Amino acid sequence: MISTAKWTVAAWVLAVCLPIGVARAAKPPRPNVVIIFADDLGYGDLSCYGHPTINTPHLDRMAHEGQRWTEFYVAASMCTPSRAGLMTGRLPVRNGMCSLRQHVLYPDSAGGLPQSEITLAETLKDAGYATACIGKWHLGHRSEFLPMKQGFDEFYGLPYSNDMKNRRVPPKKPGGKASHEYIGVPLMRGEKTLEQPVDQTTLTQRYTKEAIRFIEKNRKRPFFLYLAQTMPHVPLFRSKEFVDHSRRGLYGDVVEEVDESVGQVLDTLRRLKLDKHTLVVFTSDNGPWLVYRQRGGSAGLLRGGKGSTWEGGMREPAIFWWPGTIKPEVVRQMGSTLDLLPTIAKLCGAEVPLDRVIDGLDLTPVLTGTGPSPRDTMFYYRGNQLCAVRHGPYKMYYFTQPNYRNRKGIKHDPPLLYNLDHDPSEQHDVAKQHPEVIEQIREIAEAHQKGVTPVPSQLEIR
Ligand code: MG
């Protein structure tokens, strides 16, 4: 009798507990994903990346609780191709979202990210995620290219940059300065225009409110929020509360308001007890817009800025936050926005498209502290021109950009070579001392170029 009772208990324990255990092993909890993408914020513009007079306490805390990466790259140093790289995990040269003649999409462009591309939003939507794009899109503003045709359930924001469709206003007094009015920038919800021109002073606040609403609405199911801030892209605007907020002046005010927005998003996740179930990534689409002088940001000790393939154009602040899963540390390894699609797909049980080349690599070993970054090489394109290749600490240049407006750049034959570990500011060409490194990187570049099939540019379609 006793033994039968024991067996009954054992069978009950097995019957009740085992399926739970098996279910747990087969289906780990899937994190929510929030990507906060600043616009034109430089490597040196946050206090946790060394800025002396811009104060970003929320991003600093996020970095302290998560991983702060020092060698994180975007896919291109301009808005449109950079965003295309993040969304698809593919270099923009593979899907026509780049051009040497024209850097980005304009209001009179008829092209956009092709429907044949599979976006991160589509990947996650297929895996059962609620998806929202809040903020700047800039991957095509015609109906067939808008976010809701690319895997997003919701869109609230600007279809392109906040400086587009402007009107030059002549100087008020003789000898005075001309100014610009941003008469045509629309704020959209879905495919409808809500406001045109949009009041840009409250844009950061309104994006934040929308982001919080989306998180609250989807608190009980997995969600993906792509919060692409319009700021600190010139023209700079901030709300009344942030006027004269920063010692850095107008640009600092704007960055500090973006920081406040990040704080509100993270506080919402904490309040709803979703912080341990949400991966938040903060980065920027390209380096600082240096031609705007004090209205543009800073790449810190890195050379160059927006539009160039110098480090300052493509190396960005990047913070990964997921309390309890991501081990807090400074990561001095390479990663890229190209890697977000495969990494997030892996974490969320979503599928990486297998029928095409994906340039991104899976960074989960670094995030979970189980291994090194698989990325040891980065390709730097300007338009469809391969300008430089980094492999390990060495970066080799075929072309450099002497200034923002120069499209073709200066060709280097033999190529230039910099050791980014010794010389992060790219000041000292060491090509002559390392012919063997030049040879090795040339081979990597040639093999890469053989695997790229040129496609017509989407950016030049009118
Ligand atoms: Mg940008």
Side-chain angles (χ1 to χ4, degrees):
M1 281 296 279
I2 292 165
S3 98
T4 313
K6 265 191 192 162
W7 277 114
T8 310
V9 171
W12 182 86
V13 167
L14 279 176
V16 173
C17 302
L18 198 63
I20 295 172
V22 168
R24 277 209 185 126
K27 261 195 169 182
R30 301 188 301 164
N32 307 305
V33 177
V34 178
I35 296 177
I36 305 176
F37 208 33
D39 197 351
D40 294 6
L41 180 84
Y43 186 79
D45 280 329
L46 305 179
S47 26
C48 54
Y49 280 80
H51 200 286
T53 54
I54 297 178
N55 187 24
T56 51
H58 300 291
L59 284 158
D60 298 354
R61 178 179 170 191
M62 182 184 173
H64 180 71
E65 293 173 355
Q67 288 183 348
R68 181 171 69 82
W69 289 57
T70 61
E71 295 170 57
F72 196 83
Y73 293 96
V74 286
S77 64
M78 291 279 186
C79 296
T80 298
S82 172
R83 283 151 208 269
L86 181 151
M87 272 298 147
T88 61
R90 283 151 61 78
L91 285 165
V93 67
R94 297 195 196 277
N95 46 40
M97 292 303 282
C98 60
S99 154
L100 249 195
R101 273 198 289 273
Q102 186 183 310
H103 295 144
V104 296
L105 292 165
Y106 289 96
D108 62 346
S109 301
L113 183 67
Q115 274 303 328
S116 54
E117 290 298 310
I118 296 175
T119 67
L120 178 54
E122 284 168 324
T123 305
L124 291 175
K125 193 182 168 80
D126 283 352
Y129 278 64
T131 55
C133 171
I134 295 170
K136 169 173 158 179
W137 177 237
H138 215 181
L139 290 174
H141 48 271
R142 292 213 169 171
S143 161
E144 65 266 34
F145 299 118
L146 284 170
M148 290 165 78
K149 301 280 168 55
Q150 296 286 15
F152 288 101
D153 301 329
E154 301 184 19
F155 170 50
Y156 176 87
L158 311 189
Y160 38 74
S161 292
N162 63 332
D163 63 334
M164 291 178 173
K165 283 204 178 172
N166 67 63
R167 177 170 69 191
R168 198 164 174 274
V169 183
K172 289 194 180 106
K173 291 181 216 154
K177 264 190 161 179
S179 59
H180 291 266
E181 269 179 347
Y182 300 93
I183 48 168
V185 184
L187 174 68
M188 302 179 75
R189 186 184 296 282
E191 294 188 16
K192 284 205 185 99
T193 296
L194 296 179
E195 197 178 302
Q196 189 173 25
V198 59
D199 173 4
Q200 296 202 38
T201 61
T202 54
L203 212 42
T204 303
Q205 281 182 344
R206 286 192 277 176
Y207 288 168
T208 312
K209 244 189 219 164
E210 284 289 321
I212 293 171
R213 180 198 53 76
F214 174 77
I215 293 170
E216 285 173 344
K217 187 174 91 177
N218 294 290
R219 59 197 288 182
K220 298 235 163 81
R221 57 174 293 197
F223 61 80
F224 167 47
L225 167 62
Y226 172 58
L227 174 51
Q229 292 287 357
T230 286
M231 298 295 148
H233 187 286
V234 175
L236 302 170
F237 290 97
R238 75 289 204 218
S239 66
K240 269 196 247 105
E241 291 88 326
F242 280 82
V243 172
D244 297 331
H245 194 269
S246 174
R247 282 175 62 199
R248 168 63 174 81
L250 173 59
Y251 184 83
D253 290 350
V254 169
V255 174
E256 290 178 11
E257 186 159 32
V258 170
D259 178 68
E260 167 65 24
S261 168
V262 172
Q264 287 188 27
V265 169
L266 299 189
D267 281 347
T268 303
L269 295 171
R270 291 187 189 102
R271 170 168 59 81
L272 299 175
K273 302 206 171 8
L274 294 174
D275 48 335
K276 295 215 166 61
H277 308 288
T278 307
L279 167 68
V280 185
V281 183
F282 177 90
T283 188
S284 171
D285 71 332
N286 52 252
W289 211 353
L290 300 174
V291 289
Y292 280 98
R293 300 161 65 109
Q294 290 197 59
R295 278 178 290 157
S298 163
L301 85 175
L302 305 179
R303 182 169 179 176
K306 175 172 179 170
S308 86
T309 54
W310 295 110
E311 289 293 289
M314 292 180 58
R315 200 195 289 201
E316 296 304 321
I319 304 170
F320 287 73
W321 183 89
W322 183 2
T325 299
I326 287 181
K327 185 175 132 234
E329 63 179 327
V330 177
V331 175
R332 298 176 203 280
Q333 302 180 60
M334 288 167 80
S336 168
T337 48
L338 292 165
D339 303 332
L340 293 177
L341 184 141
T343 304
I344 289 168
K346 174 80 173 290
L347 290 167
C348 299
E351 280 177 32
V352 176
L354 297 172
D355 61 342
R356 59 199 67 204
V357 178
I358 299 286
D359 296 288
L361 300 167
D362 175 12
L363 301 178
T364 56
V366 190
L367 301 183
T368 53
T370 54
S373 171
R375 180 170 289 285
D376 60 5
T377 304
M378 188 69 208
F379 299 99
Y380 302 67
Y381 277 88
R382 200 179 197 234
N384 49 9
Q385 185 179 71
L386 181 65
C387 294
V389 179
R390 175 179 176 180
H391 181 66
Y394 287 103
K395 183 172 173 189
M396 186 186 89
Y397 279 92
Y398 291 120
F399 292 90
T400 54
Q401 292 80 39
N403 60 55
Y404 181 72
R405 312 236 170 255
N406 187 309
R407 306 225 160 191
K408 282 203 108 174
I410 300 167
K411 188 172 168 50
H412 300 281
D413 191 15
L416 306 178
L417 188 72
Y418 296 93
N419 180 332
L420 297 177
D421 281 359
H422 296 178
D423 178 22
S425 306
E426 302 176 281
Q427 297 294 312
H428 310 287
D429 175 20
V430 294
K432 281 206 183 92
Q433 292 93 305
H434 297 287
E436 76 295 348
V437 177
I438 296 273
E439 216 29 62
Q440 187 195 12
I441 300 184
R442 259 190 211 277
E443 278 172 25
I444 292 170
E446 281 163 20
H448 164 76
Q449 282 179 304
K450 270 189 203 141
V452 175
T453 315
V455 292
S457 170
Q458 291 293 317
L459 270 47
E460 293 169 20
I461 304 171
R462 287 290 186 280

